[in-house]
Amino acid sequence: MIRPARPDDVPDIHRMIGELAEYEKEPDAVVATEEDLRTALFGPEPAVFAHVAEHTGEDDVTATAGFALWFLTYSTWTGRHGIHLEDLYVRPELRGHGHGGDLLRNLARICVERGLTRLEWSVLDWNTPAIRFYESLGSTPMDEWTVRRLDGDALVSLGSVRA
């Protein structure tokens, strides 16, 4: 079952963000706290959204299997919003049950229902299992684009210059 995240999901989502960082070989990169996540998702004007996948085992116990964390984008070319999927994660022991596909189908459904024109995300070039999975859904790489980032001292330096 896929459903919108609730405040009581924050500890599980935060834990899975740490698991994702481990998998992506960046375990020390996560500095966000549960409170940061709670504020971003459930504060007065949230700009970030999340859905969770629930898995009911043979013992009828339901557990959080994974999550999708996303936000709206805007395309000046289409004149419409889209969705940027920031993180998609399914716990390793629950992969193969369709949760990742269900989470992506849910986001695609949101796009279709709201008239959003794009569902986009990034994937590490070495993550072959994820790339194969995304290709099986019909996604295409944007080969001519390179993701750029400005953070740390470079961000502070540029942000300190008056335009």
Side-chain angles (χ1 to χ4, degrees), residues 89-103:
Y89 182 76
V90 175
R91 290 195 159 120
E93 67 274 15
L94 295 174
R95 291 179 186 156
H97 293 276
H99 300 302
D102 288 347
L103 285 162

Side-chain angles (χ1 to χ4, degrees), residues 2-163:
I2 306 300
R3 61 170 175 76
R6 301 181 297 242
D8 62 329
D9 293 314
V10 168
D12 270 345
I13 294 170
H14 187 261
R15 193 169 19 263
M16 287 186 286
I17 289 170
E19 292 171 16
L20 176 60
E22 286 273 338
Y23 176 76
E24 292 185 349
K25 303 173 186 165
E26 293 278 347
D28 298 326
V30 178
V31 296
T33 65
E34 285 184 24
E35 192 54 38
D36 292 332
L37 192 56
R38 185 173 284 103
T39 300
L41 290 168
F42 303 106
E45 294 184 35
V48 178
F49 309 94
H51 284 79
V52 296
E54 292 183 328
H55 179 83
T56 303
E58 293 178 15
D59 54 3
D60 288 332
V61 173
T62 300
T64 303
F67 75 99
L69 193 135
W70 57 278
F71 55 88
L72 291 176
T73 61
Y74 184 79
S75 168
T76 57
W77 290 13
T78 66
R80 300 267 168 95
H81 285 284
I83 286 178
H84 178 81
L85 175 60
E86 178 66 17
D87 284 332
L88 175 71
Y89 182 76
V90 175
R91 290 195 159 120
E93 67 274 15
L94 295 174
R95 291 179 186 156
H97 293 276
H99 300 302
D102 288 347
L103 285 162
L104 281 168
R105 269 186 286 287
N106 184 70
L107 293 181
R109 186 175 307 111
I110 290 170
C111 287
V112 171
E113 289 173 355
R114 296 182 188 179
L116 311 179
T117 57
R118 296 178 178 166
L119 173 55
E120 298 176 313
W121 62 92
S122 298
V123 61
L124 292 165
D125 58 6
W126 57 259
N127 193 346
T128 306
I131 292 168
R132 284 191 197 124
F133 168 64
Y134 296 144
E135 287 173 345
S136 77
L137 298 174
S139 74
T140 55
M142 297 182 62
D143 292 331
E144 296 177 1
W145 293 84
T146 301
V147 176
R148 304 294 304 196
R149 176 177 289 162
L150 190 62
D151 63 2
D153 290 342
L155 177 64
V156 171
S157 177
L158 185 62
S160 299
V161 176
R162 296 255 180 224

